[in-house]
Amino acid sequence: MTPDATLRALFEAEKLDDARFSPAFLAQVPASKIAQILSQLQQSYGALQGITPDGDGYRLRFEGADIPARIALDQEGCIAGLWFGAPVPSGSIEEHAAAITGLPGAVSLLVLEDGRPLISHNADAALAVGSAAKLAILKALSLAVRNGEKQWSDVVELRPEWKSLPSGTLQDWPDGTPLTLGSLAHVMISISDNTATDALIRLVGREAVEAVSPRNSPFLTTRELFTLKTREHAALRLEWAGADEAARRLILERIANMPLPSAQALAPEPTYKAAEWFFSAQELCTLLEETSDLPSGSINPGPVDPGQWQHFSYKGGSETGVLNLSSRVVGADGIARCVVATWNHPSALDENSLLLPYRGILTALAGRSQ
């Protein structure tokens, strides 16, 4: 049987036979587990309606979603490898937008096509966006390069005072490691490296980032943000929340020499209302547009399917109670489209409640770009 016929047979079988799978595969995953996965897919998304080639794999079309899949057969035609990707809900842009705007809490959504809004919901509301704020730092750095103040190839040595908590890896690298500004920008955006973020804020200058985003003055480093978010500094966090810009700068002077807190010291409850970075969906679309010529945003696609687009830029952000997804994509028609969704709620979020309809919007837009 061909690979696609084998895939179809899996969904049509009343009971999976071990003989369909290679011994090496069954040693890793029992057939009963595969049967459970197949059942869950059909319960969640309806009956399988078709299978089409998609790159090095296939796209499974169910009643309620498309799901990417890959399958490998051995010389005997037995399944030696099987993978299912993240589902992309089917439906119109408006249907997916309604699923997002109907989420509890504070939600903003902006879908731009060639600069014109297709969907706009609270697009000017400044919500907590987590690491999507790093787009402002990338913009400030790009301006410094454009003005001749910096070069992407400039080399700096990693300093201990720049080191922050993950996400990222640079916090584990030896002090003094030489790094270019370009490489710092790449890891800041692609893996949301917090140490690279703080390094660039220090190197470009806090005031340069604040010029890009005046609302967030003083613009917090990630290390400062983590310090404010500890259990120990609950009172200081409340003081920060109620302070004006001048008073906040004094608070930053007070915490400047405090040691980096551990991840275990952070408050478990949502603290984004007191201390975070706040951007509107419109502002993030503008930042994506202004940095779209830089390669940093095109390394990690996040929820974007690169196969559907000629070019993409992506940055997201999250913490407890906060989730942001921000993408700029260019289709075969050469038209740029931006999709920014932000969700704030004072409890832990089910990320798929935003992620799945967000992917659905991108897929629907890709269909428009053909």
Side-chain angles (χ1 to χ4, degrees):
M1 296 177 67
T2 60
D4 58 331
T6 303
L7 269 173
R8 184 179 295 277
L10 284 177
F11 286 93
E12 294 175 345
E14 294 184 6
K15 183 179 180 180
L16 287 189
D17 188 342
D18 283 1
R20 290 182 180 271
F21 303 92
S22 71
F25 184 95
L26 292 175
Q28 300 293 323
V29 185
S32 59
K33 179 62 176 178
I34 298 300
Q36 180 183 356
I37 293 172
L38 299 176
S39 176
Q40 288 174 343
L41 290 176
Q42 293 180 101
Q43 287 177 11
S44 298
Y45 305 108
L48 179 66
Q49 296 183 321
I51 299 176
T52 56
D54 184 24
D56 59 352
Y58 298 90
R59 185 166 293 271
L60 309 182
R61 190 176 71 257
F62 293 83
E63 291 174 311
D66 288 354
I67 299 177
R70 290 198 291 269
I71 187 170
L73 306 180
D74 64 14
Q75 292 182 342
E76 285 71 40
C78 296
I79 298 172
L82 185 63
W83 172 85
F84 297 108
V88 178
S90 57
S92 67
I93 295 173
E94 291 75 16
E95 288 170 330
H96 297 309
I100 293 174
T101 59
L103 292 170
V107 178
S108 66
L109 174 64
L110 181 61
V111 181
L112 296 180
E113 186 174 68
D114 201 19
R116 296 185 297 272
L118 296 180
I119 302 289
S120 181
H121 176 82
N122 293 335
D124 292 322
L127 301 182
V129 300
S131 289
K134 294 169 183 176
L135 288 169
I137 304 167
L138 182 64
K139 170 65 175 177
L141 175 59
S142 71
L143 289 174
V145 172
R146 186 182 307 168
N147 295 336
E149 302 164 15
K150 303 286 185 184
Q151 295 184 32
W152 297 108
S153 58
D154 287 348
V155 176
V156 297
E157 293 185 352
L158 184 60
R159 300 178 188 173
E161 62 268 26
W162 294 343
K163 292 189 174 180
S164 185
L165 297 178
S167 53
T169 59
L170 289 186
Q171 72 279 352
D172 300 322
W173 286 29
D175 295 344
T177 299
L179 298 160
T180 67
L181 297 186
S183 61
L184 287 171
H186 287 349
V187 295
M188 175 180 70
I189 300 299
S190 66
I191 62 172
S192 213
D193 194 293
N194 288 328
T195 296
T197 301
D198 289 5
L200 288 174
I201 292 174
R202 300 303 187 189
L203 292 166
V204 175
R206 196 195 302 266
E207 65 283 355
V209 184
E210 292 166 356
V212 174
S213 180
R215 177 190 295 109
N216 290 287
S217 299
F219 198 98
L220 289 164
T221 66
T222 68
R223 183 169 180 147
E224 290 165 343
L225 184 69
F226 288 133
T227 300
L228 290 172
K229 287 181 174 292
T230 60
R231 295 184 184 91
E232 175 187 0
H233 292 136
L236 186 61
R237 186 165 61 248
L238 291 176
E239 182 181 344
W240 172 273
D244 61 16
E245 181 181 338
R248 287 185 173 186
R249 293 193 189 277
L250 293 176
I251 292 174
L252 293 185
E253 291 179 10
R254 288 159 55 189
I255 68 174
N257 295 318
M258 290 183 180
L260 177 67
S262 68
Q264 293 71 32
L266 301 179
E269 70 274 7
T271 57
Y272 65 87
K273 289 185 178 181
E276 242 283 357
W277 301 284
F278 296 88
F279 286 80
S280 70
Q282 182 62 64
E283 288 167 342
L284 290 175
C285 271
T286 299
L287 285 171
L288 283 168
E289 181 68 29
E290 292 174 341
T291 58
S292 61
D293 60 329
L294 305 178
S296 299
S298 302
I299 299 171
N300 180 0
V304 178
D305 181 351
Q308 294 180 325
W309 305 100
Q310 289 188 346
H311 181 267
F312 73 87
S313 299
Y314 169 74
K315 186 72 190 85
S318 65
E319 65 157 299
T320 304
V322 173
L323 181 58
N324 170 270
L325 304 168
S326 297
S327 305
R328 179 188 182 272
V329 291
V330 179
D333 56 6
I335 294 175
R337 295 167 174 88
C338 179
V339 185
V340 171
T342 305
W343 183 16
N344 291 177
H345 192 272
S347 63
L349 305 180
D350 175 8
E351 294 193 358
N352 279 333
S353 295
L354 179 61
L355 187 58
L356 294 183
Y358 185 89
R359 284 199 186 106
I361 289 175
L362 286 170
T363 297
L365 287 173
R368 293 169 62 97
S369 72
Q370 300 304 315

